[in-house]
Amino acid sequence: MDREPDAPLRERLIDVGVELVRAEGTASLGLREIARRAGVSHGAPRRYFPTHQSLLSAIARRGFGDLGSRFLAAGAERPAPREHVRALGRAYVGYALEQPGMFELMFRHDLLDSTGQEPTGGPRLREQTLPLFGLLTGLAGACGAAEPEVTAAALWAGLHGVAQLWGYGSLPLVLGAGGDGDAAPRLEALVDAVVDAHLGADA
């Protein structure tokens, strides 16, 4: 198996990593375990990913690709700017809660710092956030924000906080949203509140 062409094996290693992080979380992403599940020797990943971080970054890029697809779907019906921002917020928080392991990996400081990433592996991981942030910035401007980049950054921070605190169970606890019936509306209301806090309430 180790003699397969580089691209298919490289992609298989990433595929295995994606499956592992989705099923078992970031703690499962050891090089040996990924190699074992890919059916190759434990040293094989080093031929395609010179460091452990470079493989983790390649896996995390898949997460940003998936999130980008959700952002595209959120704007598919060309909603008005404010409704588009709401849809992006729901997509972002929804992804974080559906894929907590991948979401954690995507925003790991050591990976975003880009240290140890392969030089030919495409854009550095932190640069994967730029198109998504650019979309949010454009929409903030279309909604009349005086400083669109600052507003977009504050929105992002607020949505990220909602995603993490909801995932930890802290927000459901303080809002009394423990049951399945009221959790989704409460979460949607939180996203809307973040949007309104930074774009102003609907006229």
Side-chain angles (χ1 to χ4, degrees):
M1 286 189 182
D2 290 3
R3 296 180 182 177
E4 290 186 22
D6 285 1
L9 179 51
R10 183 183 188 281
E11 291 305 304
R12 189 160 83 253
L13 290 166
I14 298 172
D15 289 343
V16 167
V18 169
E19 292 170 6
L20 270 171
V21 74
R22 286 178 174 169
E24 301 177 28
T26 58
S28 66
L29 293 175
L31 280 174
R32 285 179 176 270
E33 182 61 13
I34 292 173
R36 186 185 72 79
R37 297 212 186 189
V40 298
S41 68
H42 69 266
R46 296 288 189 186
R47 299 209 301 259
Y48 314 103
F49 302 99
T51 67
H52 190 198
Q53 283 186 322
S54 65
L55 176 53
L56 295 182
S57 296
I59 295 166
R61 284 192 193 99
R62 290 279 189 88
F64 278 112
D66 290 344
L67 181 59
S69 295
R70 293 196 185 205
F71 272 28
L72 284 175
E77 296 183 3
R78 298 184 179 279
R82 178 184 289 271
E83 290 309 310
H84 196 167
V85 173
R86 292 189 198 280
L88 293 181
R90 292 168 187 158
Y92 187 83
V93 173
Y95 182 83
L97 297 177
E98 291 169 27
Q99 302 290 344
M102 181 63 84
F103 192 75
E104 177 187 346
L105 187 69
M106 288 160 61
F107 292 100
R108 263 181 48 171
H109 172 74
D110 60 326
L111 301 184
L112 290 170
D113 186 52
S114 303
T115 302
Q117 291 186 30
E118 52 188 327
T120 58
R124 286 185 287 184
L125 187 61
R126 70 174 131 195
E127 292 167 1
Q128 299 292 109
T129 65
L130 295 179
L132 308 183
F133 182 69
L135 174 59
L136 192 57
T137 298
L139 289 169
C143 290
E147 296 183 87
E149 284 192 347
V150 173
T151 299
L155 266 166
W156 182 13
L159 293 168
H160 199 87
V162 167
Q164 289 200 310
L165 290 173
W166 192 277
Y168 295 156
S170 301
L171 286 175
L173 178 65
V174 298
L175 294 175
D180 293 337
D182 61 354
R186 286 283 194 162
L187 184 56
E188 189 170 298
L190 273 174
V191 171
D192 290 349
V194 171
V195 172
D196 291 342
H198 296 291
L199 296 182
D202 287 321

